[in-house]
């Protein structure tokens, strides 16, 4: 159960008549139930957001391995690698004909290596973001389960209080008869 039932009842009186009252523990239990429902709703929204980030991260990781990527980041990086490769090839051809110096060849090789390194770094970053998104989804799923459990506990506590009230009313009717 959600805890022990109180051995007494706190009553809040509203009018001049003693019949206009509310049971404060029952109201608190209802409030706890509402809070648990709101928390569950927030945790479900968090899970949905984490799932969207995971899907996006998966798309980026998949795109990073394609020959012809579609995401702007990898399109730009792939084009930079292709341009550096083409420039290196042209400069090597020019160097064979003695129209380019060894320093120009080295610079083109450096530029090509730098472009590939940028692409590889972006791939690693996206892979790390994917791992982080997977962790976020797992955390959000646990939070949803915890919120569902808290909601069940709040409903159980409220039902226990209502049951106690019905039991006491039934005892009063039996003693009157």
């Amino acid at each position: 159960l959600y805890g022990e039932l109180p051995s007494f009842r706190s009553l809040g009186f509203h009018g001049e008549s003693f019949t206009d009252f509310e049971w404060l523990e029952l109201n608190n239990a209802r409030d706890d139930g509402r809070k648990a429902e709101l928390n569950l709703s927030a945790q479900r929204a968090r899970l949905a957001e984490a799932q969207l980030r995971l899907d996006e991260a998966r798309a980026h990781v998949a795109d990073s391995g394609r020959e012809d990527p579609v995401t702007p980041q990898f399109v730009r990086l792939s084009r930079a690698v292709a341009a550096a490769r083409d420039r290196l090839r042209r400069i090597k051809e020019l160097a064979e004909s003695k129209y380019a110096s060894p320093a120009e060849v080295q610079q083109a090789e450096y530029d090509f290596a730098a472009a590939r390194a940028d692409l590889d770094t972006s791939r690693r970053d996206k892979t790390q973001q994917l791992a982080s998104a997977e962790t976020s989804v797992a955390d959000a799923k646990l939070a949803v389960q915890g919120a569902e459990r808290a909601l069940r506990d709040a409903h159980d506590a409220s039902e226990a209080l209502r049951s106690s009230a019905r039991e006491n009313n039934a005892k009063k009717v039996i003693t009157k008869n």
Side-chain angles (χ1 to χ4, degrees), residues 110-126:
Y110 171 77
D111 291 343
F112 177 61
R116 286 192 52 88
D118 286 345
L119 179 60
D120 290 341
T121 298
S122 290
R123 285 178 178 157
R124 277 192 304 276
D125 287 347
K126 293 301 178 184

Side-chain angles (χ1 to χ4, degrees), residues 44-92:
R44 284 181 175 157
R46 176 180 163 211
L47 176 60
E49 183 180 321
Q51 190 64 47
L52 286 174
R53 280 195 314 269
L54 177 61
D55 294 342
E56 183 179 321
R58 283 183 177 148
H60 279 281
V61 167
D63 194 46
S64 71
R66 289 190 190 117
E67 282 294 317
D68 295 322
V70 293
T71 56
Q73 176 184 12
F74 289 108
V75 167
R76 181 183 56 78
L77 290 170
S78 295
R79 287 181 182 166
V81 168
R85 183 184 315 115
D86 290 344
R87 183 172 180 270
L88 176 61
R89 183 186 47 79
R90 285 191 309 271
I91 289 179
K92 281 184 176 181

Side-chain angles (χ1 to χ4, degrees), residues 2-148:
Y2 181 72
E4 294 189 23
L5 293 175
S7 56
F8 60 91
R9 292 185 184 157
S10 301
L11 302 176
F13 294 95
H14 296 292
E16 295 190 18
S17 169
F18 287 116
T19 59
D20 294 335
F21 64 90
E22 62 184 356
W23 186 9
L24 297 180
E25 286 84 6
L26 186 57
N27 285 345
N28 290 342
R30 284 187 198 125
D31 290 344
D32 290 345
R34 287 186 200 109
K35 287 177 195 174
E37 288 170 357
L38 290 174
N39 185 36
L40 177 59
S41 176
Q43 295 306 325
R44 284 181 175 157
R46 176 180 163 211
L47 176 60
E49 183 180 321
Q51 190 64 47
L52 286 174
R53 280 195 314 269
L54 177 61
D55 294 342
E56 183 179 321
R58 283 183 177 148
H60 279 281
V61 167
D63 194 46
S64 71
R66 289 190 190 117
E67 282 294 317
D68 295 322
V70 293
T71 56
Q73 176 184 12
F74 289 108
V75 167
R76 181 183 56 78
L77 290 170
S78 295
R79 287 181 182 166
V81 168
R85 183 184 315 115
D86 290 344
R87 183 172 180 270
L88 176 61
R89 183 186 47 79
R90 285 191 309 271
I91 289 179
K92 281 184 176 181
E93 288 173 359
L94 289 172
E96 289 173 4
S97 304
K98 305 291 186 203
Y99 290 113
S101 69
E104 289 173 316
V105 173
Q106 280 183 335
Q107 182 61 43
E109 287 173 345
Y110 171 77
D111 291 343
F112 177 61
R116 286 192 52 88
D118 286 345
L119 179 60
D120 290 341
T121 298
S122 290
R123 285 178 178 157
R124 277 192 304 276
D125 287 347
K126 293 301 178 184
T127 302
Q128 288 175 346
Q129 288 175 7
L130 174 62
S132 175
E134 288 171 341
T135 301
S136 293
V137 166
D139 288 345
K141 285 180 180 179
L142 287 174
V144 165
Q145 290 174 352
E148 288 172 344

